[in-house]
């Protein structure tokens, strides 16, 4: 048996297009398309690429974007003033502060100032609280993308056994809560978990979100399971030439693909879904803020 590949890129393109359609409907009532504001501090090349991709996909879907770029030595007070200005700006629906921020800026203090109704990354304490309480709100993008791909692959997730490996605020914990919301039975593993391979073998859906290249081996995966590989790791690839690198996930794809039921590739799996969910959150935020109804299931 060979696993079905879950094509995150294609599904993300569908979600982008749907966000564009719903955004265009909302624009009739709002008098403008939904708008995402992105704050980028410093000149980290990876962050620059992420922000450019987010802005490009936002605009391609017919939504609008604002970029606020500041040098690495900007003060925390100034970044907070930018966030608060965007909170007050009624033409902005979503605010994203690109991570990581330079070391002299307290990330939590900055995130904490984002209006939760514009928190399209789903990272504020209010958004986290809404998630825990199963109240409507903006959900973190990467975990929301995982759940959506799992539903595309397996349909109803009710009663499925899910093992999330990793307990970060950004991925592991919200992923566990989102799968729980779908009535899956969820276990969260981390660096102190005893006999991780045996635990992973119990999973119908395995979600590695660790940041360790190819840590999840082939014999950790139950035959027929669905593996949603969140990890993005850059490793040396001398076979591609001197000094070359390639991206791999947290799962050893080649060992798993022969007996899993479904697997997301890296790249092209969960990664593209993160931006798709950001666009969707921007449209949801615009709808909620303006009391405009959103289509069922959006
Ligand atoms: P963090 O470093 O914040 O968290 C990693 C988690 O993995 C921790 O909970 C840690 O456990 C756990 N862990 C570390 N080593 C082990 C181990 N040997 N066994 C079991 N658990 C372990 O990472 P993130 O959650 O932010 O990101 C995880 C991965 O996902 C990274 O590769 C990142 O690049 C990628 N990522 C991808 C995104 C996408 O769009 N596809 C978006 C965000 C992240 P403990 O808490 O005990 O230390």
């Amino acid at each position: 048996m060979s696993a079905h590949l879950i094509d995150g890129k294609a599904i993300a393109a569908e979600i982008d297009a749907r966000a564009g359609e719903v955004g265009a409907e909302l624009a009739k009532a709002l008098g403008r398309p939904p708008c995402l504001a992105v704050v980028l501090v410093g000149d980290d090349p990876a962050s620059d690429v992420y922000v450019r991709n987010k802005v490009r996909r936002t605009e391609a879907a017919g939504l609008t974007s604002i970029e606020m770029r500041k040098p690495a030595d900007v003060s925390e007070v100034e970044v907070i003033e930018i966030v608060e200005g965007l909170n007050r700006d009624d033409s902005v629906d979503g605010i994203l502060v690109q991570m990581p921020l330079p070391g002299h800026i307290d990330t939590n203090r900055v995130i904490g100032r984002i209006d939760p109704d514009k928190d399209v990354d789903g990272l504020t304490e209010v958004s986290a609280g809404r998630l825990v309480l199963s109240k409507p709100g903006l959900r973190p993008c990467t975990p929301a993308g995982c759940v959506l791909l799992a539903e595309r692959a397996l349909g109803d997730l009710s009663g499925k056994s899910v093992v999330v490996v990793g307990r970060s605020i950004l991925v592991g914990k919200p992923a566990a809560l989102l799968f729980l919301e779908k009535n899956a039975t969820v276990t969260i593993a981390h660096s102190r978990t005893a006999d991780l391979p045996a635990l992973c073998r119990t999973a119908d859906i395995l979600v590695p979100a660790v940041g360790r290249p190819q840590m999840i081996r082939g014999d950790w995966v139950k035959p027929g399971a669905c593996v949603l590989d969140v990890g993005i790791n850059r490793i040396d690839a001398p076979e591609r030439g001197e000094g070359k690198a390639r991206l791999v996930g947290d799962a050893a794809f080649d060992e798993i693909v022969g007996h899993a039921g479904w697997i997301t590739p890296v790249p092209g799996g969960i990664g593209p879904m993160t931006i798709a969910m950001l666009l969707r959150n921007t449209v949801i935020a615009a709808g909620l803020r303006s009391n405009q109804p959103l289509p069922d299931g959006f």
Side-chain angles (χ1 to χ4, degrees):
M1 187 177 81
S2 187
H4 300 282
L5 274 194
I6 304 177
D7 187 346
K9 209 170 162 188
I11 296 171
E14 263 177 54
I15 311 248
D16 283 15
R18 182 76 183 124
E21 283 167 18
V22 178
E25 275 306 304
L26 276 180
K28 292 178 192 161
L30 293 173
R32 57 168 181 82
C35 174
L36 171 68
V38 182
V39 180
L40 174 59
V41 177
D43 47 16
D44 174 51
S47 293
D48 187 60
V49 170
Y50 289 140
V51 165
R52 272 192 282 131
N53 278 339
K54 286 168 185 172
V55 167
R56 181 179 53 77
R57 296 236 322 246
T58 303
E59 305 265 336
L63 313 179
T64 54
S65 65
I66 299 174
E67 263 182 87
M68 310 286 281
R69 287 178 179 255
K70 287 286 159 191
D73 61 356
V74 66
S75 70
E76 182 178 306
V77 169
E78 201 180 328
V79 176
I80 287 174
E81 278 169 5
I82 290 170
V83 166
E84 292 191 330
L86 294 169
N87 286 343
R88 287 190 299 272
D89 185 342
D90 207 36
S91 67
V92 169
D93 300 297
I95 302 170
L96 177 150
V97 177
Q98 183 63 42
M99 304 295 157
L101 291 171
H104 66 281
I105 297 179
D106 183 326
T107 301
N108 287 335
R109 258 203 302 260
V110 172
I111 297 296
R113 297 299 184 97
I114 297 173
D115 177 346
D117 293 338
K118 297 188 177 188
D119 174 24
V120 282
D121 252 347
L123 293 178
T124 60
E125 288 181 13
V126 173
S127 295
R130 287 172 176 164
L131 172 58
V132 170
L133 298 171
S134 296
K135 287 189 169 175
L138 298 163
R139 305 304 195 219
C141 298
T142 302
C146 290
V147 172
L148 195 144
L149 289 188
E151 284 185 311
R152 284 292 181 98
L154 305 177
D156 183 11
L157 303 182
S158 179
K160 300 282 182 207
S161 146
V162 177
V163 174
V164 179
V165 190
R167 56 176 164 180
S168 70
I169 301 293
L170 187 63
V171 187
K173 277 186 197 168
L177 288 164
L178 286 170
F179 278 108
L180 194 59
E181 220 166 49
K182 298 289 179 184
N183 297 314
T185 304
V186 184
T187 308
I188 308 179
H190 46 77
S191 64
R192 314 289 173 86
T193 295
D195 201 352
L196 183 60
L199 179 65
C200 289
R201 278 192 286 272
T202 67
D204 300 320
I205 301 170
L206 183 59
V207 188
V210 177
R212 292 185 185 269
Q214 300 169 322
M215 186 187 93
I216 307 290
R217 311 308 311 189
D219 63 353
W220 298 21
V221 175
K222 179 164 84 174
C226 174
V227 180
L228 304 166
D229 192 352
V230 179
I232 301 178
N233 308 285
R234 190 173 290 277
I235 61 166
D236 291 342
E239 73 281 3
R240 294 186 176 184
E242 207 185 305
K244 295 280 183 197
R246 67 186 175 103
L247 295 182
V248 297
D250 289 343
F253 183 92
D254 293 344
E255 293 178 14
I256 295 169
V257 71
H259 65 282
W262 292 265
I263 188 165
T264 54
V266 177
I270 305 293
M273 289 300 292
T274 298
I275 300 184
M277 301 320 275
L278 176 69
L279 268 53
R280 191 166 88 153
N281 271 351
T282 302
V283 173
I284 292 173
L288 292 175
R289 292 181 58 247
S290 59
N291 284 321
Q292 294 298 317
L294 292 162
D296 282 347
F298 177 69

